[in-house]
Amino acid sequence: MAIVPHARAPIHTPTPAFSGRRWPSRVYPGDLAQAAWVRSDLAADLARLADLPKETTENIVLCASEMFANACDHSRSGQDPEGRVIRTLHMPDAATLHLAIIDDGTRVGACATRPEIPRRRTLEEWAEAERGRGLLLIHHLATAWGTRSVLDFPFCSGLGTVTWAEFTLPGLTARKAVR
């Protein structure tokens, strides 16, 4: 007799209606000139979703472009000639799309800061500002967004930031989500 009894495995394991969808991660040079490539690749990936409204696709692509630009402008991704930016894309469920941009970390000579919407601007300063609206666009177009460190260890701070955004996809069902 065995000390630990063997539990019988079920003959049939039911699968969930939607088990998620993940696209391959894409790696880009940390150069703002590559933003068109980022937009084009993302639009092609989103075209694989059946019945995704054009406006939703455009909003997601705009947010990715802004996130990519921030990674190039504010991290080592754009400072180092070998800098890279990674884009991930997945659907944790049939109605949610999760987009993330991962940068190479804090710029040399800069203090580690997390991306955030400028809050201390007057209306006049907002009207004259040439920059600082990207995260505000993401805030209004995405269902949720945020940032986190690539690695959550105190001695690893500055190694990279993940900026993510989630989008609720209108009109998609589990059957229509993947072609």
Side-chain angles (χ1 to χ4, degrees), residues 29-123:
D31 178 4
L32 282 174
Q34 302 302 315
W37 184 19
V38 173
R39 290 189 297 269
S40 174
D41 284 349
L42 181 56
D45 287 343
L46 294 175
R48 296 173 64 185
L49 295 175
D51 300 329
L52 185 64
K54 183 179 178 187
E55 181 181 1
T56 302
T57 298
E58 291 170 350
N59 289 343
I60 295 168
V61 169
L62 175 61
C63 289
S65 185
E66 292 296 336
M67 293 160 69
F68 178 79
N70 279 350
C72 292
D73 277 350
H74 302 291
S75 75
R76 278 197 321 254
S77 296
Q79 181 182 38
D80 185 337
E82 298 296 317
R84 298 286 180 256
V85 175
I86 300 169
R87 188 217 73 196
T88 65
L89 186 66
H90 75 277
M91 292 178 67
D93 58 56
T96 306
L97 185 101
H98 187 275
L99 166 71
I101 297 289
I102 305 162
D103 66 40
D104 274 345
T106 308
R107 283 179 166 259
V108 176
C111 63
T113 60
R114 294 181 82 114
E116 62 181 39
I117 298 171
R119 302 262 184 223
R120 296 183 180 155
R121 286 187 179 170
T122 65
L123 288 176

Side-chain angles (χ1 to χ4, degrees), residues 50-53 94-95 168-173 176:
D51 300 329
L52 185 64
T168 300
L169 305 179
L172 288 181
T173 65
K176 293 181 181 178

Side-chain angles (χ1 to χ4, degrees), residues 124-140:
E124 184 176 297
E125 288 171 330
W126 273 110
E128 294 177 7
E130 293 180 13
R131 305 180 60 146
R133 291 183 177 89
L135 292 177
L136 194 58
L137 281 169
I138 295 166
H139 180 75
H140 287 288

